[in-house]
Structure formats: C-alpha cells, structure tokens
Amino acid sequence: TYVCCNTGPSVLQLNAPRGTSTNDEACMNFMSESLERCLTRHKSCSLGIEDGWIPTRLLDVHATSTGHDSIKVVERSDAQATAANFKIRYLTLSHVWGSTRPLMLTTENYTNMKTGIRMDLLPRCFLDAVCLARRLGLRYLWIDSLWYAFQNEVILYAYLV
C-alpha cells in the first residue's frame, strides 16, 4: 500500500500496481490514476495549479523541431502563450547529482537548448523523466539541476553590473 503526499485525516491509500517496470501499462495506469486522485482530492496538492504559477523556464517534452526526437527549453511567457487559457501542468524531477555534473543550462548553451536538445544526449534519469511526462500526458518538465548553473550566472551578472 502506498500513501499519498498528504497527511492527516485525508490520507489516500493506494494499492501497489502489479507491473514489474515503470514501462508496464499497469504501473503507468497506477501513476496516472494516483496523480489525478491526488490533484482532485487534496487541496494542498493542487495549489500550484490553482494559482497558475509556473517556473521561469521549463522543458517542452513535445518538441520535435530539429527533425529528430528532442526536447527544448522554453521561457515561462512562451509556455503560457502556447497554453492560452489552460492551466499549465508540469512534472518535476529533483534528484541527487552524484559525483558527475549533470547536463546544465548555461549562458553558453542557452540558445542551442532553446532550439532543441537531442534525447540521445540526455542522462538516463532525465530521459526517464521525459518519458514519464509524455506517458502522463504532460507537456512540460522541470529538472532542478538543469537550471542551477544558469540561475547562478544570472545572479552573478546582476551583482557585477
């Protein structure tokens, strides 16, 4: 039995899926149904959706502008323009970086990453998150480590100028 992120009297207990891999249809159904239940039954789980806030930058996981399977960096304003009057939902990946430095957005690669990032260049953890977002029907993904270096460069630049 799995317990949703909420605590207190509204805890939602879910039965574990019978699949052996996150690629199994049973596991995908479990994740999709659990997400929907959580967002519809727990007010605290849907707070970000209710107020419409989204991060400054996201990954568009449905991008294919480069002729091969790719994703791209989009600015908040671009995502909002694409979504029109719909609330933007996105998946978040926060992970332990380990000893190797993961793919990161920098001022040097910003333009290229807005054009497209080839899927075969992504670390396995990022690739899994992209695949999961797509399977859950989410267009956008936010990955903590991707933005870390870029945010620090922007802060440093603002400080020095």
Side-chain angles (χ1 to χ4, degrees):
T1 301
Y2 291 88
V3 177
C4 182
C5 57
N6 214 341
T7 58
S10 62
V11 168
L12 176 63
Q13 292 193 351
L14 308 166
N15 293 324
R18 299 200 185 274
T20 58
S21 163
T22 53
N23 270 338
D24 288 346
E25 203 58 38
C27 289
M28 285 308 304
N29 289 339
F30 169 77
M31 287 186 279
S32 182
E33 291 167 9
S34 299
L35 177 62
E36 278 308 309
R37 276 192 211 123
C38 192
L39 292 173
T40 56
R41 294 184 186 180
H42 297 137
K43 185 176 177 106
S44 62
C45 295
S46 62
L47 286 178
I49 293 172
E50 295 297 319
D51 69 12
W53 183 90
I54 61 170
T56 305
R57 283 166 206 87
L58 292 164
L59 289 174
D60 183 345
V61 301
H62 289 268
T64 56
S65 61
T66 59
H68 48 75
D69 194 16
S70 66
I71 59 175
K72 68 179 179 179
V73 170
V74 293
E75 296 292 326
R76 176 188 296 147
S77 58
D78 298 328
Q80 289 169 327
T82 302
N85 294 324
F86 297 100
K87 303 270 188 213
I88 294 174
R89 291 173 59 179
Y90 60 94
L91 185 68
T92 298
L93 170 64
S94 182
H95 63 104
V96 177
W97 301 1
S99 59
T100 60
R101 187 175 164 141
L103 177 68
M104 290 186 182
L105 178 69
T106 65
T107 52
E108 288 83 29
N109 67 15
Y110 175 75
T111 302
N112 288 338
M113 290 178 86
K114 280 192 73 163
T115 302
I117 307 163
R118 290 179 31 183
M119 295 286 283
D120 60 343
L121 299 177
L122 294 177
R124 184 76 217 170
C125 185
F126 290 16
L127 184 59
D128 289 344
V130 169
C131 293
L132 180 59
R134 288 176 173 175
R135 296 273 315 261
L136 291 173
L138 300 172
R139 180 166 183 171
Y140 299 104
L141 172 63
W142 185 87
I143 301 175
D144 61 357
S145 63
L146 190 61
W147 317 115
Y148 181 76
F150 188 76
Q151 188 65 33
N152 285 345
E153 287 179 31
V154 170
I155 291 168
L156 179 61
Y157 178 77
Y159 177 76
L160 294 175
V161 171

